[in-house]
Amino acid sequence: MEKGHYTEEDKAFMCVTDKSRNASRIRELINFIKLNGYQKIGIANCFSVNKFAEKLKEILSAEGILAISVHCKESKLDAAELSETMHGASCDPKSQAEYLNAEKTDLNINFGLCLGHGLLFQKYSDAPVTTLLVKDAKNKHNMMENFA
């Protein structure tokens, strides 16, 4: 493997990342947001973890960070629009990204989106995306539990 060839912007970003380390993941995120001067943070969350996404918003707000959240079913997309074999309310990661793009967020957080939905959200997000909560319903979101 050949080493990466970084731009000056990439190098500066890597240095900011280094300065925000060695804390809990949420504290690391807060440090990273502040060190980058980000003003508006987006949270794209699964409906099933809405309560925890609201808690994250409170934590960020207490740090003086504006956070905007949007859950996966907020657009009220009918699953039948995606496939005639599906029914009911569907997750809509593209609309989540478009909503946060319209809000002009500086950084977006994938907070418990399903694997494929998280990938689509990241694809359509204008802002960089970090994952804070990995959805693993079988293991209560502890993806390394009972790994086999």
Side-chain angles (χ1 to χ4, degrees):
M1 180 170 100
E2 191 175 320
K3 68 180 176 181
H5 300 281
Y6 294 98
T7 65
E8 291 304 314
E9 182 181 6
D10 292 339
K11 290 176 187 178
F13 195 77
M14 297 278 281
C15 290
V16 169
T17 300
D18 188 58
K19 291 177 186 172
S20 66
R21 294 183 321 154
N22 299 324
S24 72
R25 183 60 183 222
I26 292 175
R27 176 53 57 192
E28 181 179 352
L29 177 64
I30 291 165
N31 293 344
F32 183 80
I33 290 166
K34 289 180 175 183
L35 286 167
N36 277 293
Y38 293 155
Q39 301 296 311
K40 196 184 288 188
I41 305 304
I43 303 170
N45 65 282
C46 174
F47 181 77
S48 69
V49 296
N50 221 28
K51 175 176 76 171
F52 302 108
E54 288 302 315
K55 180 64 176 168
L56 177 60
K57 272 179 68 173
E58 290 173 20
I59 291 167
L60 294 174
S61 179
E63 292 286 334
I65 299 167
L66 174 61
I68 299 165
S69 65
V70 57
H71 67 71
C72 60
K73 296 187 180 186
E74 211 155 314
S75 74
K76 299 182 178 27
L77 174 66
D78 186 337
E81 293 180 47
L82 300 173
S83 169
E84 48 187 59
T85 63
M86 296 169 63
H87 61 280
S90 176
C91 299
D92 191 356
K94 186 173 182 182
S95 289
Q96 287 175 289
E98 290 171 347
Y99 176 79
L100 294 175
N101 291 344
E103 291 289 331
K104 300 193 181 319
T105 52
D106 299 310
L107 175 73
N108 289 328
I109 300 167
N110 170 343
F111 197 77
L113 296 178
C114 295
L115 176 66
H117 297 166
L119 292 170
L120 282 174
F121 172 74
Q122 186 167 317
K123 176 180 179 179
Y124 291 104
S125 175
D126 289 343
V129 178
T130 189
T131 300
L132 188 58
L133 176 68
V134 174
K135 186 175 187 178
D136 186 336
K138 180 182 178 196
N139 296 307
K140 299 179 182 161
H141 310 304
N142 180 357
M143 65 181 200
M144 298 306 289
E145 185 71 23
N146 299 317
F147 180 73

